[in-house]
Amino acid sequence: MNTDIYYKNIKPNESISDFVESFWVLHNHSENETETIGLPDGRIDLFLIKSENEPFRIVLLGLGTQHHEEGIIPAKSLRFAISFKLLAVEYIFHETISDIVDKGKILSADFWNFKPEDLNNFDDFCKKASEKIKSLLIKEIDPRKKKLFDLIYNTHGSVIVKELSENVGWSSRQINRYFNQQFGISLKSFCSILRFRTSLEHIAKGKLFPELNFADQTHFIKEMKKYSGAVPKELFKNKNDRFILLSSFKTE
């Protein structure tokens, strides 16, 4: 375990839990940069970042669909983050993110009235961010979309499009159009990513066989390698702590 990396994750207040998955902090307090492999996790991340060699900046990261082997956590760097659920795209950001799949964009340095000083205290940052998010929620959630995402998240993506359509009262074609227009990926792809993310938690506990709705062990291994570049056994060993998500689960 890399003791130079400090990680903390807290859940949001229930009032914004439909839109925010978590707030978290990642601090590399060493003099050395750390190589990472970034893994898809089904989240939209808003980062506030600073380091000794780079100025304060705010970055919005879209949905990831593949692993990235050239990730770096700079030396003496600090980042606070808000991980959003997909409903936040329409109801908090009020714009699509279909143009930033597998990439991010730098936002204005005063986005949402954030300042470099907000990186001084994580608890204060979470309170400020929570109040801002509440203020941006300007309309009621479409009940079909609320039910749709409840089903997707509660099943960790182990649900088929037909079942969602029948439960929500929204055609499969309409759901897929909504996903592609708003988020830049299909519903099926998003569900696969969520299932992969949850499987990482199981693998971190030494469960190297499918716990969710995979056809068989071969399918499970194929899906894990597709999104991480590694088979379950390699993920569990997590050589050099490069799989940051898995390291985080192991230290919780």
Side-chain angles (χ1 to χ4, degrees):
M1 187 64 59
N2 188 339
T3 57
D4 292 328
I5 302 294
Y6 170 78
Y7 171 84
K8 180 180 179 181
N9 176 307
I10 68 171
K11 294 298 181 182
N13 182 279
E14 187 177 350
S15 63
I16 57 171
S17 60
D18 284 330
F19 312 99
V20 177
E21 184 199 83
S22 62
F23 299 97
W24 51 276
V25 54
L26 189 69
H27 184 197
N28 180 4
H29 51 81
S30 76
E31 299 287 347
N32 302 309
E33 64 182 22
T34 297
E35 294 184 2
T36 71
I37 295 176
L39 303 178
D41 58 16
R43 308 184 303 188
I44 304 140
D45 291 316
L46 181 69
F47 293 113
L48 278 68
I49 309 170
K50 71 175 181 180
S51 66
E52 283 192 337
N53 299 320
E54 295 182 334
F56 172 77
R57 62 198 186 280
I58 300 176
V59 178
L60 181 66
L61 193 65
L63 287 174
T65 65
Q66 55 191 309
H67 64 281
H68 300 279
E69 296 195 8
E70 299 180 354
I72 294 292
I73 302 175
K76 294 291 184 180
S77 66
L78 175 65
R79 67 183 65 191
F80 287 176
I82 311 169
S83 287
F84 291 96
K85 297 179 180 179
L86 293 196
L87 271 177
V89 172
E90 180 177 356
Y91 292 94
I92 303 298
F93 289 98
H94 309 296
E95 60 179 280
T96 73
I97 57 162
S98 59
D99 60 333
I100 55 170
V101 173
D102 287 317
K103 58 185 178 181
K105 62 180 178 181
I106 297 176
L107 306 177
S108 63
D110 61 349
F111 182 78
W112 285 1
N113 296 317
F114 285 128
K115 300 177 176 60
E117 295 74 29
D118 289 318
L119 285 167
N120 293 338
N121 185 290
F122 183 55
D123 289 335
D124 288 346
F125 163 76
C126 293
K127 291 176 184 175
K128 179 176 179 176
S130 296
E131 290 304 314
K132 181 63 179 180
I133 291 166
K134 289 178 188 177
S135 75
L136 293 167
L137 183 58
I138 58 175
K139 60 179 179 177
E140 293 292 325
I141 305 174
D142 182 329
R144 294 177 305 172
K145 294 172 184 175
K146 173 72 165 59
K147 189 172 185 179
L148 172 69
F149 285 109
D150 282 346
L151 287 168
I152 292 171
Y153 287 119
N154 289 339
T155 60
H156 307 290
S158 291
V159 59
I160 61 175
V161 178
K162 182 180 178 182
E163 183 180 344
L164 287 170
S165 176
E166 290 173 350
N167 278 279
V168 173
W170 208 7
S171 74
S172 299
R173 184 175 182 180
Q174 287 173 316
I175 295 173
N176 270 309
R177 184 186 302 119
Y178 173 70
F179 263 75
N180 281 297
Q181 289 177 347
Q182 288 288 325
F183 318 120
I185 67 173
S186 69
L187 169 61
K188 182 179 179 181
S189 294
F190 180 69
C191 286
S192 295
I193 291 167
L194 276 191
R195 190 171 55 178
F196 163 76
R197 161 78 186 249
T198 304
S199 295
L200 286 180
E201 300 180 49
H202 300 155
I203 291 169
K205 297 172 184 175
K207 299 177 181 179
L208 305 184
F209 295 88
E211 299 280 321
L212 298 173
N213 186 27
F214 293 93
D216 51 32
Q217 178 71 1
T218 300
H219 181 217
F220 173 61
I221 292 172
K222 183 179 180 180
E223 286 291 287
M224 292 303 101
K225 190 165 185 180
K226 173 183 176 181
Y227 289 114
S228 71
V231 298
K233 186 180 293 186
E234 292 171 331
L235 285 166
F236 178 64
K237 290 179 179 178
N238 195 13
K239 186 177 181 181
N240 300 324
D241 290 328
R242 293 185 69 206
F243 294 104
I244 287 296
L245 277 179
L246 204 53
S247 295
S248 300
F249 290 133
K250 288 164 69 178
T251 55
E252 282 297 297

